[in-house]
Amino acid sequence: PFRQPLHLPRWPRSGCGSIGGFDSCGRPGRQGQVVPPFELFGGGPTALPVVADESHPAVLPSNPKGVIFDMDGTLIEHAIDFADMRRRIHEVVDSDPIGRDLERDCVLALAKRLSPEGEERCGRIFAEIERRAREDMTPMEGGVELVAFLRENGLRVAVLTRNLERNVSTMRNMYLDGVRANGRGGEEFPDEIFDPIVARDTKYHPTAKEPIRAKPHPDGILHVCDAWGCDPSEVIMVGDSANDDMTAANRARCGGAVLLQPGGKTLDTDSGYEVGDSDEEVLERTPSLRVESLAQLQLCLEALLEEQDVVVGDVAGDRLNPVPLM
């Protein structure tokens, strides 16, 4: 139902200042060239089924090295009742001798500031919620195909999540089985389909005392970029939370911040902390591209890589070298 993607021209990068990761022309103020807006069903340089914010044109880096995915609500179906989680944790906080005097914050951060008994009670709640989510875990529609497409086209793929490493392992195995079941990559498709994986209990190195700071801090994205040996401007972050994923991406100055809204719906992914409403804070939460499915995102990336082939002219050394599948 969609026309073949047209070859997309580049925008000039001069004459615009930068604030909060976005320039004064409304485009993300990042390094490198970008492609112009993808518009829905014609009227623009291509006709891809993508929802673009009118005030902030949809852009992606022209030569991406990799894609970082959130897990819950992005690579797997939304399975955590955040409203119920906030209610249960806040009940513990209100009854805790330390917690009753604390301001509301991210429930994970709140739990760490409680008395030992309160923190233990919160830990049991988190474990129960995440156990149920793990048992109900289902890959997001189009996710297996998108991950296989990225790997086959030489792009790196990582996971950045506020979940735990053991739960990410379950998701990784589902995706690996799905890729192989679909005949993509054969039996030699790598077990490290996502590399690296950064969860809320992941440390920079085994001897580190504290884990990497979770989203919305940019630390996890910068850690992935260090592992890949690239600049954040060459990376695309994909997630379903404007507060967590888009803010982390824009603070790290990622080349693309893609907000996934399945079916066009905005789901409750609020972990409980306050968000600001200043212009800069709003811009931090603003995606450079919004899509309603991972299949839509794959169409965008297919167009991007096709344009890259044409513009570069397949000159040796300018294309990304494929990531080995063995």
Side-chain angles (χ1 to χ4, degrees), residues 205-271:
H205 51 80
T207 60
K209 293 183 179 181
E210 298 293 334
I212 298 170
R213 288 194 303 175
K215 299 173 292 186
H217 297 291
D219 304 38
I221 294 175
L222 300 178
H223 176 71
V224 172
C225 292
D226 286 343
W228 288 351
C230 68
D231 189 86
S233 65
E234 302 172 291
V235 168
I236 300 168
M237 175 72 204
V238 182
D240 67 321
S241 171
N243 292 346
D244 290 340
D245 302 313
M246 300 302 99
T247 299
N250 286 319
R251 288 177 178 177
R253 298 184 66 80
C254 286
V258 179
L259 181 63
L260 174 64
Q261 296 178 310
K265 299 178 181 178
T266 301
L267 301 177
D268 183 355
T269 60
D270 181 12
S271 59

Side-chain angles (χ1 to χ4, degrees), residues 299-323:
L299 284 174
C300 293
L301 294 172
E302 287 174 353
L304 185 69
L305 295 180
E306 177 179 322
E307 167 65 7
Q308 184 185 91
D309 282 337
V310 172
V311 172
V312 170
D314 290 325
V315 177
D318 283 343
R319 275 284 286 167
L320 289 172
N321 292 322
V323 176

Side-chain angles (χ1 to χ4, degrees), residues 33-48:
Q33 295 173 314
V34 295
V35 296
F38 293 116
E39 297 184 7
L40 184 62
F41 300 110
T46 187
L48 296 175

Side-chain angles (χ1 to χ4, degrees), residues 11 127 141 144 146 155 244 260 272 292 295 301 309 316:
W11 280 348
E141 183 177 357
V144 169
L146 174 57
L155 275 73
D244 290 340
L260 174 64
E292 295 185 2
L301 294 172
D309 282 337

Side-chain angles (χ1 to χ4, degrees), residues 64-67 147-158 185 188-190 192-195 228 319-326:
K65 297 297 190 294
V67 179
V147 169
F149 165 79
L150 294 171
R151 293 301 303 259
E152 290 168 353
N153 281 274
L155 275 73
R156 307 289 293 271
V157 183
E188 296 178 336
F189 203 90
E192 298 79 12
I193 185 172
F194 303 109
D195 184 31
W228 288 351
R319 275 284 286 167
L320 289 172
N321 292 322
V323 176
L325 299 183
M326 300 176 61

Side-chain angles (χ1 to χ4, degrees), residues 52-106:
D53 189 317
E54 292 181 358
S55 62
H56 299 291
V59 295
L60 293 173
S62 61
N63 187 29
K65 297 297 190 294
V67 179
I68 304 173
F69 288 96
D70 167 57
M71 187 175 84
D72 296 281
T74 302
L75 286 175
I76 60 175
E77 297 283 352
H78 188 85
I80 293 178
D81 186 337
F82 281 84
D84 180 65
M85 178 176 65
R86 293 193 302 271
R87 178 188 61 78
R88 295 175 65 184
I89 296 300
H90 288 163
E91 287 178 354
V92 175
V93 172
D94 291 339
S95 64
D96 187 83
I98 298 176
R100 63 171 64 105
D101 296 323
L102 297 177
E103 293 185 4
R104 289 289 186 263
D105 194 359
C106 167

